[in-house]
Amino acid sequence: MENHHKRKRDEAPASPTASVEAANGGGEIDLSLLEAVEKSQNGGVEVLDLRALKKLVLSFERRLRDNLEARMKYPDQPEKFADTEIELHEEIERLKILAGGPELYPDLVALNTVPSIVGLLGHDNTDIAVDLVGLLMDLTDEDVLEDNDEPARVLVDALVENNALELLVQNLGRLSEADPDEAAAIYSTLATIENMIEVKPTVAELVCERTKLLRWLLGRVKVREFDANKQYASEILAILLQNSTANQKRLGQMNGVDAMLQAVAMYKSKDPKSTDEEEMLGNLFDCLCCLLMQMENKERFLKSEGVELMIIIMKQKKSAYGSAIRVLDFAMTKYPPACERFVDVLGLKTAFAAFMGKIPVGRKNNKESYQEELEERLISLIASLFGGIVRGSRRDRLLSKFVENECEKIDRLMELYMRYSDRVKAESERLSGLELDDWEMDEEERYNRKLEAGLFTLQLIAVILGHLWCSEHPRMRARIELLLRQQRLTKKDVKDILQEYHDNIGDMDGPEEKERAQAKIQKFIAAL
């Protein structure tokens, strides 16, 4: 997922010293003149050091106190505290200078200023809260925090401790997108949360645990009209779901699967109008794939007719075509009910047309890598179908696909087998060459490198061949043997790939599942 383009901070104002030097023709500086300039610049901070930080903080705290006192004294007379509000606004703007010295963040935290800063997110005047969001976005900007890991962590920890996440999300609820400044503050709020996650990944789960952010984001992506905030909301959702089982489950319980399906359904027969809208659609499909990593969400997907929607999207051949295949692959992996539904709603015809290479090619997706990713997804999807549909008329319909049109699907399967086999062979030789150059590599790393080069897809093709062979269909067996002979290969070559797959099956799903999976592969090896 590409990073969005964050708004850059405004350039810092020119230093007063420079203007005084210019006034003196570059000669010696008149200190009294410098003091006068500093005063005229509202005590402008020239060198950002601890002393300057304390000066800034003191000035800010003073203005904050004046404003709070005036508001308490004249609660119903805004004109009496309006000036203090303008001064407070100016002080918040001046604090943005701190983004130029992230190494001072630990001192900022030590001065106990963070509670005062964060507290302003709940200020009665929305404009002040908007200022504050802008300040937090600047202070946490990834460009500012680069190479300042420790100070960044100190600041983010302090923000979290002082309930910044809760207050940021509460503040979202009172911002109106009809007002351009408030719409920009919504964007800045999301940017701040993303920046905090960047520094401290656990914030991704914390913010969903402690606030209603997930619900807000879900509501935002359901809005029909496209704009920058909808795009950003989709991106933050994808970030929150990426590596978090807890968030995947949480969003599922909020009817998130159905909401995501509704959001992508808008594009079943039309293409996004811009690259930004295209990126948002990609984010929504990423969210769906993340949600489908949880079994209970696969059930919700089935109930909400997700399988049917993805097949419709494929049939329409618009830009979401490839994403629909990816979602189906996630939905059907280790989930037989989705495989059965897929066959029942006539998905085989659509999937096998794609498998045979009839992939719609647009301006954007004619790249080889796009075609290849879809091939790999389709192989995985067909392997899932064979794993999920073990008997009955559905199984017969699946097998018959490989007999029709002179066994063309087996020809295609063997063509892919050869391509991936050559790739894996080339990678094995490359790795052997590296080992000769005294580069130590353990077996696990070697295996992982081969997986990256295409071994996993090759293994799935071998598994599909195993299923076809075990069907004991004479025409299929004859075709497989003929094609192997033509490539000067034997069934032993396929057995070797299956054996390596068998030996490396992990026990992520528990020891019983591992045993079952290994027994199935063993059956193929014996049959071959």
Side-chain angles (χ1 to χ4, degrees), residues 292 295 298 326-336 338-339 377 380-381 383-385 456:
L292 288 168
M295 194 53 76
K298 290 181 196 260
R326 190 158 67 102
V327 168
L328 284 169
D329 180 25
F330 272 89
M332 287 153 66
T333 302
K334 296 179 183 167
Y335 189 54
C339 299
R377 291 278 173 204
S380 169
L381 192 144
S384 290
L385 282 168
F456 181 61

Side-chain angles (χ1 to χ4, degrees), residues 26-42:
E28 208 155 302
I29 296 168
D30 177 349
L31 287 178
S32 61
L33 185 55
L34 177 59
E35 277 168 21
V37 170
E38 281 211 334
K39 275 183 190 146
S40 73
Q41 295 226 352
N42 201 10

Side-chain angles (χ1 to χ4, degrees), residues 429-441:
E429 284 164 14
R430 193 184 73 83
L431 294 174
S432 299
L434 287 176
E435 285 178 347
L436 288 175
D437 293 340
D438 293 339
W439 195 56
E440 288 287 314
M441 190 187 303

